[in-house]
Amino acid sequence: MRLFLKCPHCKFENTFKSQVTSRIEYAMKHNTKIKKLNCENCNKNLEIPLNKIYAKESKHTYLFAGIIFLIGSVLVLIFWAKILSSSKSPMGLYALALILLVPVWIYVIIKKQERIRVSTFNYAYLSEEL
Ligand SMILES: [Zn+2]
């Protein structure tokens, strides 16, 4: 995921990609409690404690969820209109109403996963003794 850290000199928000899901995992994988990075704005060498690194909810993920929601809704509506014209039973209509909820459901799940991913990273700090 994309992680962020603020430059203490110019307050620029630097970003980098990592496979880790928590600060603890980062510390174990790289065997350090410090992230070394050159500030993209002022070019200073930064040594930032991992506890200052944070994750943010990704706009791309929300955009992706939104597109799935839109395409899914259109597909469901086409499907729905087709079946509605051939089936008139109340059970069939009930099932179709549930199908209408699928794109909403996928959208909500994607948003929830993203929120969990970000809060998992942001709420677990490294203890000082490590
Ligand atoms: Zn800077």
Side-chain angles (χ1 to χ4, degrees):
M1 73 169 107
R2 197 160 272 287
L3 297 173
F4 299 84
L5 55 93
K6 270 213 173 85
C7 172
H9 308 287
C10 68
K11 307 288 176 218
F12 181 80
E13 190 174 60
N14 288 277
T15 175
F16 63 99
K17 271 193 173 161
S18 177
Q19 296 299 315
V20 300
T21 55
S22 71
R23 295 185 180 96
I24 292 129
E25 193 185 331
Y26 190 97
M28 281 163 69
K29 196 174 172 188
H30 299 273
N31 203 20
T32 179
K33 287 169 76 181
I34 287 164
K35 169 72 183 171
K36 288 181 183 168
L37 193 85
N38 278 344
C39 176
E40 281 172 44
N41 189 46
C42 67
N43 224 0
K44 286 200 166 95
N45 285 323
L46 307 179
E47 293 196 359
I48 308 288
L50 292 185
N51 282 345
K52 292 251 167 85
I53 293 174
Y54 52 94
K56 286 205 296 198
E57 290 177 29
S58 148
K59 283 187 188 116
H60 287 107
T61 303
Y62 287 153
L63 193 68
F64 176 68
I67 289 168
I68 285 191
F69 175 69
L70 282 176
I71 294 173
S73 301
V74 170
L75 287 177
V76 163
L77 281 173
I78 292 169
F79 183 64
W80 198 56
K82 261 192 175 168
I83 294 187
L84 200 61
S85 57
S86 60
S87 154
K88 294 273 185 285
S89 78
M91 269 313 280
L93 291 178
Y94 181 68
L96 288 171
L98 283 179
I99 291 170
L100 274 177
L101 288 174
V102 169
V104 179
W105 191 52
I106 292 171
Y107 180 75
V108 168
I109 287 174
I110 291 175
K111 282 194 88 162
K112 201 177 172 188
Q113 289 293 334
E114 176 70 1
R115 213 159 276 162
I116 290 169
R117 189 181 68 78
V118 168
S119 58
T120 301
F121 190 92
N122 287 344
Y123 287 102
Y125 288 96
L126 287 172
S127 69
E128 293 304 315
E129 306 90 67
L130 271 174

